[in-house]
Amino acid sequence: MNDKEEKFEKLGNFTNAMGATRLLLLQRANKHGFLIEALVLYAALVDGFCRIALVLEQQIKNKSSDFDVRYIHQGENDKIYFNERNVYKLTYEKCIIEEDLFNEINTLYDVRNKAIHQFFISEIEYAHLGLVLERYELIFHRLWNIVYGLESEQIHKGIGMTISGKITDKNRVKIFENITKKIGTNDKEKLAKILGPKLIKNINKFSEDIERSRIADEIHDEIEISEEKMKIPPGFASVKEITKWAERRGFFKKCICGHEKVHHIDTNKLKETTGNLDSYIKKCKVKKCRCKKYEE
């Protein structure tokens, strides 16, 4: 795949995400009154409209179908990228949106951040979001008209990626299929890649059912810990809490000698000071075991 093909593949993912976001708004968030979900989706749509507007404007200005891929894609290792605030500012500076729209988009994003990041520490209430969402719906239509205008300009001038033509039923079905893929494909490999080894216990033998079962067991353990803690004096740890901590730190894993990691801990040193238990690992304490270093 050459650079141009890769760019347009990323653009396809981007446009599918925009369609999926609007679909989720109509079918889930707005229909069922999920206000915070709707708030997140509206903010994402506004960001998406501004980004695609930047792409269209750049193509018109440069009289080319090429564009800066950073507008529509952010890789894990990208050091230079455009966040939401950067995108709003760029869209305003390039005279794509007017000052009143720019100010309202930023103000709505402030409310979005309060609802998500400051719900506990600000005065915002869940019920306040209804009016905010109506403002976002207005912004959605204003931005839709702006993007449509840029697409029309591309068609009129014969510049850029926008192609004139009637959408057939076959094309409409294909577009919908691509949009729904962004909502969920049940692709287990993609799920494992997105979550990564920090969230998945065994990335090489990933199974969603196994992961769900493991998480359910962990939740059950935490409930047991809370029940134990309510039965003992304040300030004391429950037995379950200690064993669970040791399990998470890997002290029940076995060394190459076959004995658990706990048998390699120098308990005398542990009594003298506190710190990372890994630093207290010595030779195995099991009689006749010659293993002097813990190795998985």
Side-chain angles (χ1 to χ4, degrees):
M1 184 183 298
N2 59 39
D3 182 58
K4 187 175 181 180
E5 289 173 336
E6 186 177 352
K7 276 188 177 181
F8 276 91
E9 182 178 298
K10 290 173 179 177
L11 182 62
N13 174 72
F14 180 85
T15 54
N16 290 337
M18 287 194 67
T21 303
R22 186 61 178 170
L23 187 64
L24 287 169
L25 265 170
L26 296 174
Q27 291 189 350
R28 275 181 53 85
N30 288 351
K31 183 178 179 180
H32 299 290
F34 301 154
L35 302 187
I36 290 181
E37 181 174 1
L39 184 68
V40 172
L41 292 170
Y42 268 122
L45 264 181
V46 167
D47 179 60
F49 269 126
C50 289
R51 289 176 186 275
I52 201 67
L54 287 168
V55 169
L56 294 168
E57 187 272 344
Q58 184 182 46
Q59 290 178 334
I60 293 169
K61 181 180 178 181
N62 296 338
K63 298 180 180 180
S64 168
S65 61
D66 195 19
F67 60 92
D68 189 339
V69 74
R70 292 176 300 174
Y71 286 147
I72 54 90
H73 186 267
Q74 181 181 329
E76 292 181 6
N77 299 319
D78 289 350
K79 294 181 180 179
I80 300 175
Y81 59 90
F82 300 114
N83 61 28
E84 290 90 337
R85 301 285 194 186
N86 296 146
V87 167
Y88 303 158
K89 186 178 180 183
L90 279 170
T91 313
Y92 172 61
E93 289 175 345
K94 293 178 181 294
C95 299
I96 296 171
I97 61 175
E98 297 173 351
E99 185 175 2
D100 71 306
L101 183 54
F102 170 70
N103 290 335
E104 182 159 2
I105 288 172
N106 273 291
T107 303
L108 286 170
Y109 196 72
D110 289 338
V111 176
R112 175 257 189 206
N113 285 346
K114 271 190 178 180
I116 295 173
H117 302 299
Q118 300 172 8
F119 194 75
F120 288 179
I121 59 175
S122 72
E123 302 299 319
I124 196 167
E125 299 174 12
Y126 187 77
H128 294 165
L129 301 183
L131 186 58
V132 174
L133 298 180
E134 290 185 22
R135 297 298 309 179
Y136 258 126
E137 179 69 9
L138 171 60
I139 297 302
F140 166 81
H141 288 288
R142 287 188 66 178
L143 288 171
W144 189 93
N145 286 329
I146 289 170
V147 169
Y148 184 82
L150 289 168
E151 290 175 335
S152 297
E153 185 178 351
Q154 284 202 350
I155 292 171
H156 177 68
K157 294 180 176 179
I159 295 170
M161 63 186 179
T162 311
I163 300 172
S164 179
K166 187 177 180 181
I167 298 177
T168 65
D169 290 339
K170 185 178 180 180
N171 288 340
R172 191 174 285 107
V173 169
K174 185 63 177 177
I175 290 169
F176 186 76
E177 285 178 355
N178 289 334
I179 287 172
T180 54
K181 283 180 181 178
K182 191 62 179 176
I183 295 174
T185 60
N186 293 319
D187 187 331
K188 307 304 180 188
E189 289 185 7
K190 185 182 288 186
L191 175 60
K193 182 180 177 181
I194 291 296
L195 295 182
K198 290 183 179 180
L199 294 178
I200 295 175
K201 194 76 171 179
N202 191 338
I203 195 76
N204 296 320
K205 297 180 180 179
F206 173 70
S207 163
E208 189 172 353
D209 291 338
I210 291 173
E211 285 299 312
R212 287 181 181 276
S213 177
R214 183 180 67 80
I215 293 168
D217 289 341
E218 293 247 19
I219 292 171
H220 184 265
D221 287 342
E222 291 301 319
I223 292 172
E224 281 191 13
I225 289 170
S226 64
E227 290 174 348
E228 278 189 18
K229 287 175 79 69
M230 287 188 285
K231 295 176 183 177
I232 59 178
F236 289 84
S238 70
V239 173
K240 183 77 174 182
E241 187 176 13
I242 294 171
T243 55
K244 195 65 188 176
W245 170 81
E247 179 187 325
R248 285 176 176 150
R249 297 290 288 114
F251 287 100
F252 295 147
K253 291 181 180 179
K254 289 187 176 181
C255 174
I256 56 173
C257 67
H259 300 126
E260 281 81 7
K261 194 174 184 180
V262 289
H263 292 298
H264 287 261
I265 296 176
D266 184 346
T267 52
N268 292 323
K269 184 179 179 182
L270 187 60
K271 291 175 183 178
E272 297 172 1
T273 184
T274 58
N276 188 334
L277 291 186
D278 284 338
S279 64
Y280 305 145
I281 295 175
K282 302 296 180 183
K283 67 178 183 179
C284 187
K285 294 189 295 182
V286 177
K287 290 181 179 180
K288 298 183 180 180
C289 183
R290 297 180 180 180
C291 190
K292 295 183 178 181
K293 183 181 178 183
Y294 176 83
E295 294 181 23
E296 291 184 40

